[in-house]
Amino acid sequence: KQEVTQIPAALSVPEGENLVLNCSFTDSAIYNLQWFRQDPGKGLTSLLLIQSSQREQTSGRLNASLDKSSGRSTLYIAASQPGDSATYLCAGGSGTYKYIFGTGTRLKVLA
Amino acid sequence: EAQVTQNPRYLITVTGKKLTVTCSQNMNHEYMSWYRQDPGLGLRQIYYSMNVEVTDKGDVPEGYKVSRKEKRNFPLILESPSPNQTSLYFCASSLSRTGHQPQHFGDGTRLSIL
């Protein structure tokens, strides 16, 4: 059964730092890996989607990579800003159209 | 505006009183799904639907029912709610069931079962 783990659970950094959030999964047969942002009291906003055939995706200051052989995905945030403060979630899609979410990394960027 | 709309946003009810949480999307998406989010457990998939009249169980389907009679709507039904179903619920949709398109989420429904 697919399990998705995100480490660390919480992270606090000063503004301007580059940072990496980690997502590990146990079943390499995922067909996509999606990163989301969740603000308090809100739904999830899709940030990046990586297909199983891709190695990375980029959007603005965000870059997500996928390494199926090692069971890892990383979300790189360049030049972090206070507005980036949120909980970041990753989710792996399995072959039966199910999605397994990690428990998230709570990020705080200090001004 | 493209969106996934859930109603109600908040509900407090009592054990055993049947309730329905509606979910509607205006993007002509094939795939729809329900999740619950609990502290320390993250989001867990309850049910999903790959198209009209096609539904399947996620990881935590016990105590829930769904239907997909129209493409845009995917209601979540709690026939006999219990306190352990107190949670934050999210509906999501995706253009394609193949996973080539991202999921879009509603704003959530906070259910309290007393």
Side-chain angles (χ1 to χ4, degrees):
Chain A
K1 182 184 173 185
Q2 178 76 276
E3 292 182 9
V4 179
T5 305
Q6 292 186 249
I7 295 173
L11 183 62
S12 187
V13 300
E15 182 178 6
E17 262 200 22
N18 301 324
L19 56 100
V20 174
L21 306 181
N22 296 296
C23 173
S24 300
F25 48 91
T26 56
D27 184 358
S28 62
I30 61 169
Y31 60 77
N32 68 26
L33 193 293
Q34 192 167 1
W35 282 92
F36 296 88
R37 167 188 175 133
Q38 185 176 26
D39 293 285
K42 299 284 188 182
L44 281 69
T45 301
S46 177
L47 298 173
L48 290 164
L49 170 68
I50 311 174
Q51 303 295 337
S52 61
S53 58
Q54 299 173 322
R55 293 298 299 265
E56 65 179 304
Q57 284 285 332
T58 298
S59 176
R61 293 183 294 109
L62 305 179
N63 175 275
S65 67
L66 176 63
D67 184 345
K68 289 181 61 179
S69 62
S70 67
R72 291 186 59 192
S73 176
T74 60
L75 179 66
Y76 175 82
I77 302 176
S80 59
Q81 303 169 357
D84 294 331
S85 298
T87 296
Y88 290 81
L89 298 156
C90 66
S94 76
T96 53
Y97 309 112
K98 290 184 178 181
Y99 285 89
I100 306 296
F101 277 77
T103 51
T105 294
R106 194 168 59 253
L107 173 66
K108 187 167 187 178
V109 180
L110 305 169
Chain B
E1 180 190 350
Q3 59 186 3
V4 178
T5 303
Q6 296 178 227
N7 279 298
R9 291 291 314 281
Y10 306 91
L11 179 63
I12 301 174
T13 188
V14 296
T15 298
K17 186 177 181 183
K18 180 180 178 179
L19 67 92
T20 299
V21 185
T22 63
C23 174
S24 180
Q25 50 90 6
N26 62 0
M27 298 169 278
N28 200 36
H29 283 177
E30 274 191 341
Y31 183 94
M32 297 187 74
S33 183
W34 275 103
Y35 299 88
R36 60 178 290 173
Q37 186 175 34
D38 301 289
L41 297 175
L43 274 95
R44 293 176 293 167
Q45 196 168 26
I46 304 171
Y47 269 95
Y48 60 94
S49 169
M50 291 173 282
N51 215 325
V52 174
E53 303 290 5
V54 183
T55 63
D56 207 349
K57 297 177 181 178
D59 280 336
V60 288
E62 296 78 18
Y64 304 94
K65 285 176 58 177
V66 293
S67 68
R68 186 93 181 271
K69 293 183 170 53
E70 307 165 280
K71 200 170 188 179
R72 64 182 292 130
N73 296 323
F74 190 45
L76 179 70
I77 303 158
L78 284 71
E79 294 270 3
S80 183
S82 63
N84 64 12
Q85 293 177 298
T86 291
S87 186
L88 179 58
Y89 290 85
F90 288 102
C91 179
S93 72
S94 174
L95 179 64
S96 164
R97 60 185 170 90
T98 62
H100 292 163
Q101 301 293 330
Q103 289 192 81
H104 300 265
F105 279 72
D107 285 336
T109 295
R110 188 168 291 281
L111 283 183
S112 293
I113 315 293
L114 305 176

